[in-house]
Amino acid sequence: MQFAGAGALLRVLPGCGGGDDPAPDAGRLSEAIQWGRDAIGQALEKEQATAVSVALMTSAGVVWQEAFGTADPQGKVAATVDTRFNIGSVSKVMAALAAMVLCDRGKLALDTPIIRYLPGFTMLSAEYDRITLRHLLSHSSGLPGTNWRNVFAFAPIDGYAQDTADGLAYFHLKHLPGELAVYCNDGFTMVENLVAAVTGLPYAEFVQREILEPLGMSRSAYAVQAFPEGSFVHPVYEGRRMGQEFVSAYATGGLASTPGDMMRLAALFLNQGMHQGKRLVSQAAIQEMGRDQTTGLRINPCPEWRWGLGWDATRQPGLDSVGIKAWQKNGGTAFFATEFFVLPDQRMALLLTGSGAGYGPLRIAEGVLLRALATVRAIPALPAALTGVPATSAPSVDAAALAGIYANYEAPFKVQAVDARTIDVLRWKAGAWAPVAQGLTSRADGWWWNDVSPENSYRWQSVDGKQYLIQRVTAGAGHYRASMPIGQRLAPLPAPLPSAWQGRVGTRWQPVNESADSVSLVLGDGVVSLGTLPDLPGYLMWNDGQLLRPDGGNRARMTVQVPVNHGRDLVEIEIQTVGGQERLRAGSSLYRPLVDD
């Protein structure tokens, strides 16, 4: 989860597909570049990715631009520097920029409730009318998370943004606007609707006209229609070459681009909104995007996460640990993973993108940047990898006081006390508890560790009456640790599960309004299930992972407020009766009971 003369910043190194002469820094940074090449090569050899593309820019220009692997295994077409990759949620930076352009023009305002621009927008919680553009762009709106209906597909599907707004009418807020920040795709999808409302243009057309074309990003586009064969990377799934991936959520994750094009965007940030002597967006807007937006949050147990407007981090932890300021955004789709860094004080930027989620883009991106920074003496040396475990210390609290079920959006954790000084952590998986960390004891740094897995440690924190399980992991290039709340403790409900819901326990439901072209249906069946968690009476379990609180016999609501990431993508469901048969609604997605043959 992670600025002089723009024309002079756009020279490129030759990679697959060609380029001009290397920029002056290329030789000086050759060691960093070669390390990056080797790391990417190893990922391809291990089949962690099928294609990867990268660009590195300094004040001297784009010193490295290169593509690796295969864009289309069927025709054995090599990826080139001109090949488009889906950059996923890095698209949010573009959405925030588009919004700030409209703020400059007086069409939008950061702190005006969005219902002023979208009078038809509604939700079940009365406080929805407090949501502002700033909340949308900083993940603090309280919207549930992601409209999964048709979000990834193998054909273009129109109308996703309006479908999301329509679906939100069936949801409550999961927290009050501005109360906490948790990753939220729906917020950026609502930006699409705002842009269309105040400009009269579809979001993709506005961005094309007002940002991509002025910056000369000719190889960047939203897939409103199929791209020409040979111009994009075909994803590979379980060894099969798939068709073009279409991301229907344009603002939140739908841009396809190249690293070279993205360096033009990076140059705009480095030049404080100027491009080739022309101002495209105000300096104040660029600075506001890069300002920490979390300082006023009421629930923020891990303040190292400093969201910007569109940026995941205004001080990315891996570079902040060595004293370097970096704006960072990562992105993932069903098949692609991307990292985008802009270092405003060092006038440096990098974009790394690849087909495959397991190739470790953050580790590679940080590794290249750290080596480049060491070479130019922005940092004294490459930081050492972390090793060792702190000494044992007496715990400040009995382990039994921390025990319980900690819920999140994906799968609950079970914390159990072995004795007064020892804790085990387990995770619900495939209908049973599986060990995650065993034999944890309190250590001198205040975290709970074991000696077997030094890359993970845990602590507990109460905020606003909520108890959070917080995990800390060795992250990125391995020289720092990052912490994140991974669950909120839930108590058993005082009343049993209502009889109407008890009658639905064990049922399975299949989608009735999902496109046949959606990734969900092409690669699976989209079926969801209703169940319970034996350890936590009274709750309903959605799809063997997310715990919901019944609200009567036909509605079950969201239960947790977990900041950063593990409280994202929450579900609220409602049972409706259509033609005498029950239907299940989750936002804009509709399901009918699955009757097994």
Side-chain angles (χ1 to χ4, degrees):
M1 221 149 134
Q2 217 179 346
F3 289 111
L9 292 172
L10 295 171
R11 301 177 64 189
V12 296
L13 264 181
C16 297
D20 348 12
D21 294 334
D25 269 359
R28 186 160 61 134
L29 298 181
S30 59
E31 183 179 346
I33 293 168
Q34 189 57 53
W35 182 91
R37 286 189 177 121
D38 292 343
I40 293 168
Q42 290 168 12
L44 292 171
E45 287 177 10
K46 295 177 181 177
E47 298 184 345
Q48 296 167 332
T50 57
V52 176
S53 192
V54 63
L56 171 66
M57 181 169 67
T58 72
S59 59
V62 177
V63 299
W64 179 32
Q65 185 178 3
E66 192 168 4
F68 306 78
T70 304
D72 184 353
Q74 182 171 291
K76 297 183 178 179
V77 178
T80 77
V81 295
D82 296 328
T83 305
R84 286 172 170 160
F85 288 69
N86 287 350
I87 63 171
S89 287
V90 175
S91 307
K92 290 180 172 66
V93 176
M94 187 68 75
L97 180 62
M100 297 309 288
V101 167
L102 291 171
C103 286
D104 282 348
R105 297 176 185 178
K107 298 284 190 179
L108 292 173
L110 279 175
D111 298 308
T112 296
I114 65 172
I115 59 169
R116 174 176 172 180
Y117 312 106
L118 300 171
F121 173 59
T122 188
M123 293 183 71
L124 297 179
S125 296
E127 297 87 353
Y128 82 93
D129 63 2
R130 302 181 192 175
I131 298 172
T132 66
L133 176 59
R134 186 187 301 277
H135 292 141
L136 299 179
L137 296 176
S138 63
H139 301 281
S140 60
S141 65
L143 299 180
T146 301
N147 172 20
W148 289 109
R149 184 183 174 217
N150 297 327
V151 64
F152 301 122
F154 291 111
I157 298 176
D158 295 330
Y160 176 87
Q162 185 59 51
D163 184 67
T164 299
D166 293 343
L168 288 172
Y170 298 91
F171 273 99
H172 290 81
L173 291 169
K174 65 183 176 187
H175 62 79
L176 295 177
E179 185 177 30
L180 59 92
V182 54
Y183 201 84
C184 183
N185 288 316
D186 288 337
F188 285 80
T189 297
M190 289 302 295
V191 172
E192 284 192 48
N193 293 317
L194 287 172
V195 170
V198 303
T199 68
L201 296 173
Y203 173 81
E205 185 177 339
F206 176 81
V207 173
Q208 179 73 34
R209 179 186 299 184
E210 302 295 335
I211 300 176
L212 300 180
E213 289 179 3
L215 289 178
M217 296 176 65
S218 60
R219 296 182 180 88
S220 301
Y222 297 93
V224 295
Q225 58 188 11
F227 294 148
E229 281 294 337
S231 68
F232 64 92
V233 174
H234 278 272
V236 175
Y237 178 74
E238 294 184 348
R240 288 187 292 153
R241 177 259 205 190
M242 309 302 296
Q244 179 182 344
E245 180 194 45
F246 293 80
V247 182
S248 306
Y250 298 143
T252 202
L255 187 64
S257 189
T258 68
D261 260 17
M262 290 299 290
M263 290 303 97
R264 294 176 178 267
L265 180 64
L268 183 72
F269 289 114
L270 290 167
N271 293 321
Q272 297 289 300
M274 297 292 291
H275 173 66
Q276 295 181 342
K278 180 180 179 181
R279 180 161 295 284
L280 297 187
V281 65
S282 68
Q283 180 177 345
I286 297 296
Q287 292 174 344
E288 187 63 26
M289 287 179 66
R291 188 178 68 81
D292 179 6
Q293 302 289 320
T294 68
T295 55
L297 299 176
R298 188 159 63 89
I299 300 175
N300 192 19
C302 295
E304 70 209 67
W305 292 94
R306 303 180 179 98
W307 305 99
L309 299 179
W311 296 106
D312 285 348
T314 59
R315 295 199 70 95
Q316 193 270 339
L319 295 186
D320 190 48
S321 67
V322 295
I324 299 296
K325 178 180 179 180
W327 302 337
Q328 177 261 346
K329 183 74 193 78
N330 88 329
T333 71
F335 303 104
F336 294 85
T338 304
E339 291 287 345
F340 183 40
F341 283 75
V342 173
L343 285 57
D345 298 335
Q346 275 63 45
R347 304 191 57 77
M348 190 177 290
L350 178 141
L351 185 122
L352 175 72
T353 183
S355 57
Y359 72 100
L362 179 60
R363 179 187 67 86
I364 297 173
E366 286 184 356
V368 171
L369 287 169
L370 288 169
R371 284 164 175 80
L373 290 165
T375 297
V376 301
R377 298 185 180 180
I379 59 176
L382 194 67
L386 298 175
T387 58
V389 174
T392 303
S393 68
S396 59
V397 62
D398 190 304
L402 305 174
I405 304 300
Y406 291 77
N408 60 37
Y409 82 107
E410 195 171 32
F413 288 89
K414 183 176 185 178
V415 174
Q416 58 186 21
V418 178
D419 54 43
R421 304 169 66 95
T422 311
I423 284 174
D424 288 347
V425 177
L426 304 94
R427 184 178 187 270
W428 187 257
K429 185 177 182 180
W433 291 109
V436 172
Q438 296 177 290
L440 298 169
T441 57
S442 179
R443 304 301 174 107
D445 64 349
W447 291 75
W448 294 64
W449 303 65
N450 63 26
D451 295 320
V452 178
S453 304
E455 66 276 7
N456 296 317
S457 53
Y458 300 83
R459 68 176 174 88
W460 288 258
Q461 183 175 343
S462 293
V463 183
D464 194 42
K466 302 171 181 65
Q467 176 87 329
Y468 292 109
L469 168 62
I470 298 174
Q471 182 183 39
R472 186 174 61 174
V473 301
T474 303
H479 64 289
Y480 67 103
R481 297 185 177 97
S483 64
M484 183 181 297
I486 61 172
Q488 176 187 334
R489 185 163 64 180
L490 296 182
L493 292 175
L497 191 68
S499 58
W501 286 114
Q502 289 181 19
R504 301 178 188 117
V505 170
T507 58
R508 301 169 71 226
W509 302 72
Q510 66 183 111
V512 297
N513 64 344
E514 187 81 3
S515 168
D517 293 314
S518 76
V519 169
S520 175
L521 293 190
V522 172
L523 300 183
D525 55 17
V527 171
V528 299
S529 62
L530 299 179
T532 58
L533 185 68
D535 306 72
L536 208 58
Y539 292 90
L540 187 72
M541 199 171 205
W542 167 261
N543 217 23
D544 203 34
Q546 192 174 135
L547 292 168
L548 308 181
R549 177 175 56 82
D551 183 3
N554 290 318
R555 179 176 292 277
R557 294 175 58 175
M558 301 171 280
T559 55
V560 297
Q561 296 178 344
V562 183
V564 186
N565 192 63
H566 283 72
R568 61 179 290 175
D569 301 343
L570 299 188
V571 174
E572 179 171 355
I573 61 176
E574 179 184 9
I575 298 295
Q576 303 171 336
T577 301
V578 179
Q581 186 181 47
E582 286 191 340
R583 290 284 189 269
L584 186 153
R585 174 183 284 277
S588 60
S589 293
L590 300 175
Y591 300 82
R592 65 174 178 82
L594 176 65
V595 179
D596 294 324
D597 295 333

